[in-house]
Amino acid sequence: MRLLQVNLRSLLLCLLVLVAVSIPVSFFAIREILNEEVDESLALHSDQFVKHIKTFEYLEDLEMDLGIWDQLSYDITITPTLEPGNEHLYRNVSMFDSVEHELRPFRTLTTPVEIRNKHYLLTIRMSLVDNDQLVIVLASVQVVIVVLLALALLLLNRRLTERLWRPFYHTLNQLKAYELDKNESIEPATTKVVEFQDLNKAVSHLTDRNRKIYLQQKEFIENASHELQTPLAIFHSKLDILMQNPSINEEAANTIGELEDAAQRMTRLNKSLLLLSKIDNDQFADSVNVDLSLVAQRIVDNLRTLSDLGEIAISVKAQPVVVTANYSLMEILLTNLFHNAVRYTAQNGVVNVLLADRTLTISNIGAPLKMDTDRIFDRFTKEGVHANSTGLGLSIVKKICDYSGFKVSYLYAGNRHQFTVVF
Amino acid sequence: MKILIIEDEKELVKSMTQFLRQESYVCEVAYTESEAREKILLYDYDCILLDVSLPDGSGLKILETLRLNRKADGVIIITAKNSLEDRVTGLNLGADDYLAKPFYLPELVARVSAVIRRKRFDGNNTLSVHEISIDLLGKAVSVHGKHIELTRKEYDLLLFLVSNKNRVVSKNAIAEHISGDDAELLDKYDFIYSHIKNLKKKVAEAGGVDYIKTVYGLGYKFTT
């Protein structure tokens, strides 16, 4: 549920409760005010009537006139009484409404009056607002208000989502699309809303900082690999010198040989790491049109002399496939894939290379892998122990494919390991 | 023959001079760019080994100066940055060869002697060791004047061993020299051994002496 919907829902709920409470409250309030007004009006009416009558006190037959008045007038009764009252008495009564054929509420005021030393009770009545009608009117007014308010809120909500929240969604979408290794920074939309400004500031700060750390890390790996080259060179050179010593015995010679193997392994590992970080650092940006079939043929020709010794046949079926990519990377890509296939092919085995329709397939027969094949392109995942394998060859393949926009996949089917690159 | 090593890593310089001196090369050393500039102004060298990254500047600048002054010294660029651009820039500036760190010293010797041979080329394009003579231009080998048929790799192997004669050359150095990046697959087969065996056989068939000695645990040595 969206934040604004939550907001709207609470607002509407609150509105409903308020309206539900306001109907009885306003009903009673309005009725009270009306009754008060009616009472005041009755009191005034009664007072003025009495004063008016008093001006006619000189008339002899006033008593009879009052009797006639009582008979003729609808809303005033004036009846003689024996007891001299002194209280104003307000009462609610119901009377039949002959027009609407129903009982209607009336308010009456009974006042004791003394005219020509005789006591009368003057009763004046006025029609009151019908309670039922009042409730109906009040309720319908409130319902209309509620509906209008709800509609207004809904419209406002929609507008707010579109307008007010635009910078928020802009930032959110940029965050979703953000990739640390791409050289794009987040550019938040300008906004006057303080919260969004804060959010944008925080997001920019966070991404810039992460990016900086990431770049430092990348730079560090490259620098570290570079810096390692010199001590490795010294190490190699010292071994070469040591080897020349004629007095070394067989055991020492073996040790030196083993040291050299280890040094070479370090060198290869370091070169692979350097290559990975160079790709990361975008140092292979220049692209040319490369005919992969020519590259493949050249690599296979070089490999043949080697594979002949292991009686491994390399069968190549290649049609010209031209891609726009970095030449060195393409060489490395194919070399690594071919090396991988040759390395894991048993004696008298065959490596099949098929290049056509922008797809390269390299397959060889072999036992299924024991490792998790989803991790086959991860760094330092090796099947078995090959002293000369760095465990980086396939991750370099993956990196080059990602970098060049190719798709590489591994499949084991029918006793064959198969790597496919779609260009 | 005079070689100038321009390199700031003292230990590496020590190994390089030690190794090159055995081959009757005279080595001089410059640890900084200014030192190097002084030396190349005053003397001529047969080969200059030039490190690209120097504490007080870039080795490539020295190369530019050298070529501007029309010095004919052979130059091998040595760098820790094994990048294609560096290689292309270096070779475009007139370097004769390019070697990435880390390298095997026999590889360095092979490169140095190749550069010197090219510079000293005076109609004589053969390299002779006793009865074996190597035609460097035609890439052909003859023993007692009799041509022997060698594969490309066997030829490379022989030249590499001859360039490093009387030195122990490790199997790894040989593998790297003749197979480059493919060398990492060589452990699978006794690749070097079979090439050496074939080479020896071909030389012996032509009546040559077996100069290639196996140094147990390490590699091979061409002894004269």
Side-chain angles (χ1 to χ4, degrees):
Chain A
M1 199 192 297
R2 293 198 161 185
L3 181 65
L4 278 171
Q5 281 175 331
V6 179
N7 216 355
L8 184 67
R9 192 170 280 202
S10 333
L11 275 175
L12 287 177
L13 201 71
C14 183
L15 197 66
L16 275 176
V17 170
L18 278 177
V19 167
V21 172
S22 82
I23 290 176
V25 167
S26 46
F27 168 72
F28 286 114
I30 288 171
R31 206 182 60 175
E32 264 325 290
I33 287 167
L34 284 178
N35 282 358
E36 219 164 276
E37 281 299 311
V38 167
D39 285 359
E40 275 171 24
S41 167
L42 281 173
L44 181 69
H45 208 148
S46 151
D47 187 50
Q48 282 184 339
F49 184 82
V50 171
K51 277 183 185 153
H52 188 68
I53 293 293
K54 290 263 169 111
T55 56
F56 294 99
E57 250 181 337
Y58 61 90
L59 290 173
E60 289 292 325
D61 52 353
L62 184 61
E63 201 173 329
M64 207 177 73
D65 290 342
L66 284 177
I68 292 166
W69 191 305
D70 182 41
Q71 298 287 313
L72 287 179
S73 79
Y74 169 70
D75 51 358
I76 295 176
T77 52
I78 182 157
T79 48
T81 175
L82 294 175
E83 294 293 312
N86 53 2
E87 265 186 275
H88 298 265
L89 188 68
Y90 292 97
R91 271 187 307 173
N92 284 341
V93 293
S94 290
M95 292 182 75
F96 187 73
D97 183 338
S98 58
V99 179
E100 301 201 353
H101 297 284
E102 59 178 17
L103 284 174
R104 281 187 64 86
F106 283 84
R107 185 77 167 167
T108 62
L109 171 62
T110 307
T111 322
V113 193
E114 193 188 331
I115 303 163
R116 289 167 76 102
N117 296 323
K118 280 195 175 167
H119 298 288
Y120 294 89
L121 278 176
L122 171 68
T123 305
I124 300 175
R125 66 164 190 263
M126 278 177 96
S127 157
L128 283 176
V129 178
D130 192 341
N131 279 348
D132 297 348
Q133 280 184 343
L134 183 63
V135 170
I136 289 168
V137 168
L138 272 176
S140 34
V141 167
Q142 296 285 23
V143 166
V144 168
I145 287 175
V146 167
V147 169
L148 285 178
L149 262 175
L151 276 176
L153 277 175
L154 274 171
L155 280 174
L156 192 68
N157 206 35
R158 188 169 295 177
R159 234 177 106 85
L160 281 182
T161 316
E162 279 172 10
R163 279 267 180 93
L164 194 66
W165 287 83
R166 191 178 293 159
F168 173 78
Y169 287 114
H170 179 82
T171 306
L172 187 68
N173 286 335
Q174 285 211 318
L175 262 182
K176 276 185 194 162
Y178 185 69
E179 281 175 68
L180 199 55
D181 52 350
K182 296 276 181 332
N183 192 15
E184 287 160 4
S185 55
I186 290 207
E187 279 163 30
T190 45
T191 169
K192 283 177 187 156
V193 182
V194 178
E195 284 85 351
F196 291 158
Q197 281 175 352
D198 282 352
L199 175 76
N200 288 345
K201 239 184 259 169
V203 163
S204 299
H205 179 73
L206 183 73
T207 49
D208 287 351
R209 212 178 112 77
N210 276 348
R211 182 150 179 81
K212 214 166 135 191
I213 291 171
Y214 172 74
L215 288 178
Q216 279 172 352
Q217 190 104 6
K218 278 208 306 190
E219 210 177 313
F220 172 75
I221 297 172
E222 193 181 337
N223 289 346
S225 303
H226 265 155
E227 291 305 317
L228 273 172
Q229 305 279 59
T230 305
L232 273 172
I234 295 171
F235 191 83
H236 264 295
S237 68
K238 296 294 170 195
L239 286 177
D240 281 333
I241 301 264
L242 195 55
M243 257 176 230
Q244 309 310 322
N245 190 337
S247 63
I248 48 172
N249 58 24
E250 205 171 284
E251 202 181 281
N254 270 331
T255 309
I256 294 170
E258 283 155 15
L259 275 176
E260 207 198 43
D261 287 342
Q264 194 178 40
R265 215 165 130 187
M266 266 193 279
T267 303
R268 286 202 181 121
L269 204 56
N270 201 41
K271 271 188 185 162
S272 299
L273 284 175
L274 193 54
L275 176 66
L276 279 170
S277 71
K278 272 183 177 173
I279 300 172
D280 268 341
N281 290 345
D282 221 8
Q283 290 178 26
F284 292 95
D286 50 323
S287 309
V288 289
N289 285 335
V290 187
D291 185 348
L292 293 172
S293 64
L294 297 179
V295 180
Q297 199 56 56
R298 206 176 53 73
I299 296 170
V300 169
D301 286 345
N302 283 338
L303 272 177
R304 231 164 220 147
T305 46
L306 303 182
S307 58
D308 283 350
L309 292 162
E311 284 154 3
I312 291 173
I314 304 182
S315 133
V316 185
K317 283 183 197 135
Q319 286 167 7
V321 171
V322 179
V323 295
T324 308
N326 183 277
Y327 190 81
S328 311
L329 287 187
M330 291 308 99
E331 272 190 334
I332 297 165
L333 172 69
L334 295 188
T335 304
N336 281 9
L337 281 171
F338 289 177
H339 278 189
N340 188 67
V342 170
R343 177 174 291 136
Y344 293 105
T345 300
Q347 221 168 16
N348 301 318
V350 184
V351 175
N352 284 92
V353 179
L354 182 69
L355 181 68
D357 302 330
R358 304 195 73 76
T359 305
L360 172 73
T361 313
I362 296 173
S363 64
N364 62 287
I365 291 175
L369 297 177
K370 285 180 211 81
M371 66 170 173
D372 180 6
T373 53
D374 289 340
R375 297 189 59 223
I376 197 164
F377 294 110
D378 288 0
R379 293 178 185 190
F380 303 119
T381 46
K382 289 196 246 181
E383 177 84 0
V385 270
H386 266 279
N388 266 358
S389 158
T390 55
L392 287 172
L394 287 178
S395 55
I396 289 173
V397 165
K398 180 85 169 80
K399 176 75 75 185
I400 293 175
C401 287
D402 288 348
Y403 182 81
S404 314
F406 307 152
K407 262 186 103 125
V408 63
S409 56
Y410 167 77
L411 182 76
Y412 185 76
N415 282 335
R416 296 189 79 84
H417 300 286
Q418 182 177 311
F419 285 91
T420 309
V421 184
V422 181
F423 301 103
Chain B
M1 265 168 278
K2 265 168 73 180
I3 296 176
L4 176 63
I5 302 173
I6 307 172
E7 161 71 62
D8 59 320
E9 281 297 329
K10 295 207 163 59
E11 276 307 317
L12 190 58
V13 170
K14 210 171 116 192
S15 306
M16 285 160 79
T17 43
Q18 202 177 336
F19 207 79
L20 286 166
R21 262 172 201 152
Q22 291 180 359
E23 185 74 5
S24 72
Y25 292 125
V26 178
C27 293
E28 282 191 28
V29 180
Y31 294 110
T32 60
E33 192 194 339
S34 42
E35 247 182 282
R37 283 185 185 282
E38 222 172 282
K39 287 211 152 97
I40 55 174
L41 268 178
L42 292 174
Y43 312 104
D44 285 328
Y45 296 93
D46 295 286
C47 185
I48 297 176
L49 302 176
L50 181 59
D51 187 2
V52 172
S53 42
L54 290 168
D56 57 343
S58 165
L60 293 177
K61 288 270 191 308
I62 299 179
L63 182 56
E64 270 178 79
T65 319
L66 262 178
R67 292 309 177 226
L68 275 176
N69 294 341
R70 302 190 177 280
K71 288 264 195 179
D73 316 32
V75 175
I76 298 175
I77 290 177
I78 293 172
T79 170
K81 286 185 188 171
N82 183 18
S83 73
L84 192 70
E85 289 112 274
D86 266 17
R87 189 182 310 223
V88 171
T89 327
L91 296 180
N92 280 347
L93 283 173
D96 296 271
D97 209 343
Y98 178 101
L99 197 55
K101 280 184 198 173
F103 49 81
Y104 292 98
L105 288 179
E107 183 65 38
L108 178 72
V109 169
R111 304 281 183 108
V112 168
S113 49
V115 165
I116 290 177
R117 277 197 309 266
R118 237 178 289 149
K119 294 284 165 189
R120 287 265 165 123
F121 173 63
D122 40 12
N124 176 19
N125 54 1
T126 53
L127 184 68
S128 298
V129 192
H130 300 297
E131 69 273 26
I132 302 174
S133 62
I134 306 171
D135 174 3
L136 297 167
L137 281 184
K139 299 202 167 177
V141 177
S142 54
V143 178
H144 292 301
K146 206 162 80 189
H147 176 76
I148 58 170
E149 201 65 55
L150 294 184
T151 64
R152 176 69 201 270
K153 294 229 187 277
E154 283 158 5
Y155 170 82
D156 286 346
L157 178 60
L158 179 64
L159 188 57
F160 189 58
L161 289 173
V162 168
S163 301
N164 282 286
K165 59 180 183 283
N166 295 321
R167 283 206 197 86
V168 178
V169 181
S170 71
K171 275 187 267 188
N172 286 333
I174 296 173
E176 199 100 344
H177 179 76
I178 60 177
S179 285
D181 283 344
D182 292 337
E184 61 181 84
L185 287 175
L186 299 184
D187 60 317
K188 228 184 145 178
Y189 332 106
D190 217 343
F191 176 72
I192 306 298
Y193 173 74
S194 36
H195 276 307
I196 294 272
K197 199 176 70 184
N198 290 341
L199 182 61
K200 280 177 159 193
K201 204 171 102 193
K202 285 176 184 176
V203 172
E205 274 169 4
V209 178
D210 182 13
Y211 296 109
I212 304 172
K213 298 277 175 275
T214 305
V215 182
Y216 191 76
L218 287 174
Y220 300 93
K221 187 176 185 177
F222 192 96
T223 43
T224 51

